Amino acid sequence: MAKKISAAWATARRVFVHGWLAGAVALGTAAQAGMTITRLEGPPVGPKVFLAVTNYNTSGNTSIRHTPREGRNLKYDAVLQKHYFTRDRDLGQTFRMGPRALRVEALTLRTGFGTNPFRPGAAGAELYVQWLEVEGQPRINHHGTTSVPPGTVWQTYDPKDPITDDYVEGETYRSLRVVRGGRVPDLTPYRANADGAPGNGQFIRLAFTGEDAVVLQPHRTYAFLVGFVAPAPERAMTLANEFRGRYPGGHGIRREGSADTPAFFNPAQATPYTQAMLAGDTNHAAALAAALEKACFPVDFAERVADMTFGTMGMPDVCTYRDLVFYLEGSPVEKGVGLHGVSSESAVPTASVAVAAPLAAEGGLRNAMGRLVFPNDPAVLDVRRDFGAKGDGKADDTEALQRGIEASSNRGGGQGTKVLYLPNGIYRLTSNLVVRAAVGPWVYGETRDGVILRLDDGVPTNITSVLRTHPSDTQPTSADFFMRNFCNFTIDVGRNPHVDGVRWYGNNSSLLKQVRIIGTGSVGVNAGFLGQNGPSLVQDVVVEGSFETGVRCAWSWGQTLSRITVRNARKLGVYVNATAVGIEELVVENTPVALHNEYPNNWTWWGGVVALVGGRFSGGDATQPAITNTSVLYARDVVSRGFKQVLVSTTPGGSREGARLEEYVSHPVKKLFPDSPDTALKLPIQPEPQVPWETNLSRWVCVNDFGAVAGDNKDDTAAFQAAMDAAAKEGKTTVYFRGIGGRDPNWYTLDGEVRVHGSVRHVIGLGFGRIIGGKNGRFIVDETAAPVVKFQHIHAFGGRPAAVENRSTARVLVVESCDLRVVGAGKGDIYVTDCPSGIELNAPGQRLWARQLNPEGDSDTGLVRNRGGRLWALGIKHEGRGVRFLTEQGGATEILGLFNYAPDVATNDFRPMFDIKDAAFSAMGIREISFGKTYPIKVRETRGEVVRTEKGGGWIGWAMFSGRNGAAARP
């Protein structure tokens, strides 16, 4: 919206400003201290980061700026053929809080990537931050424009792009606090890209202390604005942003000079407001003076920060839909406090209370992958360079992409498995893409929205999906299709109502991540088209075209849905039957029913089992519930809007009126001791920290260049260590090795310890990175390591896995798509994603978060052993006999969504699935099946000298098991 959308709005603004100014002066004065500004080497990480919006475009200059009135530039818009003065500008963003009150301790921003990201006048300049409370529901006013302009349009309207006159309305703002005093460091010596402009892509952290650490309340919308306090020549700094942002919890805002500037060189095209100014002014002096006045901030700072008319309109240079890159850090407070005040309660230790909001639309972290690049290496295939794809939206790229997928998966072809890289472009498809190999592929797009796989409209009915990751639509054959990895691109099904976006099939370790699915189709992600499917992980996926169902999970060995958004589905957001599904941060918008869980064909023993934590459902069908359930359901932290009620269930837990589910259990809680609570442990839930992808290819180091050879059965420890040492010595960040090929033996061998240290933050196999570990084979993360270290695509696959061990007190270990044995021996946090791994937590209090975990085998002591740690897991599948989870020595374990396949356990095998020894354990959404005999003992709980067991054969479907002393404090 422009500075003054209507006379009524202008009047409301004046009334508000005059009533607020007296307090604003004192507020500005009180905030002189308490903010410091520092440059960071990378994005903030760790448990205090409770919200991060990280997508950005690498071009464009959207700046905060404040320059003197004298000598201000007069800019010309070539599209509109209009002139306007360069305007002062503050930039900001609205955002939604999660379920806890938080004291905001820091705001981190990133500079842009355009041609002039950091101007000389920005160095040493004083910044301010203004915190605002936002009320009302934002809505887009399209202004009635299409590609054919109406009679009157905004002066900045571009007929070639009708959204350029869109603006946001429906919100009002109230100022909470203005903080100032920090000075911007000189960023010109630094650049994120070696060939970029000085100061680009830099992270600046604005830290707040004392009374300037504002407290924000749960489930409310807030905003921040950032700007320069005083003017100076060339005082401008661009902020990284995404032109058409996707953050569901808010949008960009700005305070600036008016967009309604005089078109004095072409009066006939001016708006009525400008034409009135130009009347009788033949030399345009009055119009120029008025335009200059409007382009500048008020001289008085208090008057400036009192202005609540924030712009969101498009052209000439700020898109309505823009999101800034920003990170918020903070600590929770025990009790709610006044919006303007600081809590009288002390901050709760972050180890004890969930900091990260569990909901994407209300502050959950979205781990956007951003732009990905890979080195020019034999282990990397480029679909354009190597297979002739055009990516121009016109040529048929189906065959090129299909050949690339097959070449990436070429384990048996002798050339090795490889990454298939898709540069930005629109890849036209006339048929579906199919994964036929048992292992692979590894497909990565350059950017999620820049790579589009677009299916032609009106394809034949025998084409059932754009991408299918199983050889057949109808024949399941086996559960032996592993390591499907598809990341960072968009699938467009076109106008094909019978076509699915992805027919998703993968076992044990398979990942569909950071994928957007659009168009008009049947199912966005169909993980229920064949039996024998799963377990696998679907993470950070958006389905926002017109699909009958967003995500379907059925007839499989478990699925994990992490941070999924479904918009505009015609019937269902998520459908579940005949499987166990763990779900976190599910956002469903403008869809009749958000979640439907049932059992098929009246076969209650095959019913769907769902554990849901975090749901935001809005804009549904006022005649239907948000959730319908006839099977096993656990749900908590669910908020709905626009539905008849939040839940209708035919189970003993009954239905729920109203709009919220704080915690719901569909069936009586299973327990061995009567004092075990009927509620879950509710351990803190934290998303995986984002490990920046290295886009400077000179900072990649190849282990093969240091003598590592796959398949020679010789120890490669020295080669891996030499690569780590060389990378650390030269400040490089990424160490990689080439995927294996051919038949066994085809692996790398690790018999000793490899220490990951210095600048190395990412260790990755390009393709099937197979490593067999000896007795002492392990990677070590200790105090010499980078703050966050990630391991990716490392599998033993039938052999003995090497270990990865976090011995540090504060370093963070991230393990993705690996079967490394994960060991905790310190205090540093651990994150495990899409891993068929065993786990050992051996240090009291060490924390681990797992998403899609599939340990298998026989064990007396536990495939997952938690000795005093804090372990939270979403989506578990087990297979084998003996103890699955051991929790002891005061440890705490919480599981959401578990599928246990018991392959004919002997009736005299009394090893339990879950073993609890003087510890705390809760599991929600448990399914066990067997086509022989199931576990005769499901759970064993020991308290001191007292031992109790949950006995009984047969399949189970439990909504919750609770095992802990209810009188003891929650861990």
Side-chain angles (χ1 to χ4, degrees), residues 57-65 91 110-123 184-193 195-202 204 228 234-241:
N57 301 111
T58 56
S59 61
N61 286 309
T62 298
S63 57
I64 57 172
R65 54 182 181 249
L91 286 176
R110 193 173 194 186
T111 59
F113 290 83
T115 56
N116 238 329
F118 193 81
R119 303 298 295 271
V184 180
D186 185 4
L187 301 179
T188 52
Y190 312 100
R191 50 183 94 192
N193 299 327
D195 56 349
N200 72 359
Q202 300 304 300
I204 54 171
F228 295 110
E234 294 193 82
R235 179 155 288 173
M237 177 175 64
T238 70
L239 297 182
N241 62 88

Side-chain angles (χ1 to χ4, degrees), residues 72-83:
R72 189 174 292 252
N73 292 332
L74 192 64
K75 302 186 73 173
Y76 178 69
D77 189 300
V79 175
L80 305 174
Q81 298 180 359
K82 293 175 172 64
H83 292 74

Side-chain angles (χ1 to χ4, degrees), residues 505-542:
Y505 195 104
N507 304 114
N508 295 9
S509 175
S510 288
L511 177 61
L512 184 71
K513 181 176 181 179
Q514 203 68 31
V515 171
R516 179 170 171 252
I517 301 172
I518 60 177
T520 300
S522 179
V523 182
V525 178
N526 190 345
F529 71 103
L530 283 180
Q532 301 276 11
N533 195 2
S536 65
L537 174 62
V538 180
Q539 186 174 62
D540 294 323
V541 167
V542 177

Side-chain angles (χ1 to χ4, degrees), residues 607-874:
V609 175
V610 172
L612 166 67
V613 56
R616 289 294 176 268
F617 309 142
S618 63
D621 185 338
T623 67
Q624 298 196 64
I627 302 173
T628 54
N629 175 63
T630 60
S631 193
V632 179
L633 173 67
Y634 171 86
R636 76 170 185 253
D637 292 335
V638 174
V639 176
S640 64
R641 185 176 69 247
F643 297 88
K644 180 180 180 181
Q645 63 192 86
V646 67
L647 170 69
V648 168
S649 179
T650 60
T651 61
S655 302
R656 291 291 185 272
E657 302 290 337
R660 290 178 176 268
L661 288 179
E662 298 298 333
E663 187 173 30
Y664 174 84
V665 185
S666 65
H667 294 74
V669 176
K670 306 288 289 188
K671 61 177 79 174
L672 292 170
F673 290 83
D675 66 345
S676 292
D678 288 340
T679 61
L681 274 172
K682 300 180 182 177
L683 294 179
I685 302 173
Q686 293 184 189
E688 313 88 342
Q690 184 178 4
V691 180
W693 192 274
E694 184 57 77
T695 57
N696 184 344
L697 296 178
S698 67
R699 296 177 183 159
W700 289 59
V701 174
C702 182
V703 178
N704 301 84
D705 293 341
F706 292 82
V709 178
D712 64 357
N713 274 335
K714 295 180 180 179
D715 185 14
D716 295 300
T717 302
F720 273 86
Q721 189 63 67
M724 302 292 176
D725 294 345
K729 181 179 179 180
E730 299 175 16
K732 299 183 178 182
T733 63
T734 304
V735 173
Y736 72 95
F737 57 104
R738 296 176 185 131
I740 60 94
R743 304 298 178 183
D744 293 357
N746 54 21
W747 51 77
Y748 299 89
T749 303
L750 199 69
D751 290 334
E753 293 188 353
V754 175
R755 187 170 60 93
V756 183
H757 62 101
S759 55
V760 177
R761 66 179 183 233
H762 195 184
V763 181
I764 182 172
L766 298 187
F768 185 5
R770 191 178 187 191
I771 297 178
I772 303 298
K775 182 178 179 181
N776 298 313
R778 66 187 56 216
F779 296 96
I780 302 297
V781 174
D782 59 20
E783 304 304 335
T784 65
V788 183
V789 179
K790 181 175 182 176
F791 291 80
Q792 190 172 5
H793 299 325
I794 303 175
H795 285 268
F797 199 65
R800 178 174 182 160
V804 57
E805 183 173 340
N806 190 352
R807 297 177 180 174
S808 74
T809 58
R811 269 50 178 176
V812 176
L813 170 63
V814 179
V815 187
E816 180 179 301
S817 300
C818 300
D819 67 5
L820 292 166
R821 185 166 55 92
V822 180
V823 180
K827 294 294 185 182
D829 290 344
I830 302 172
Y831 297 83
V832 177
T833 301
D834 181 40
C835 291
S837 297
I839 289 175
E840 299 176 27
L841 278 183
N842 297 319
Q846 190 163 29
R847 304 185 300 176
L848 184 147
W849 290 266
R851 291 165 172 89
Q852 207 307 84
L853 183 67
N854 180 53
E856 296 186 0
D858 190 286
S859 177
D860 293 332
T861 58
L863 301 175
V864 177
R865 299 194 287 274
N866 177 5
R867 298 186 173 104
R870 302 289 181 264
L871 191 155
W872 179 91
L874 176 81

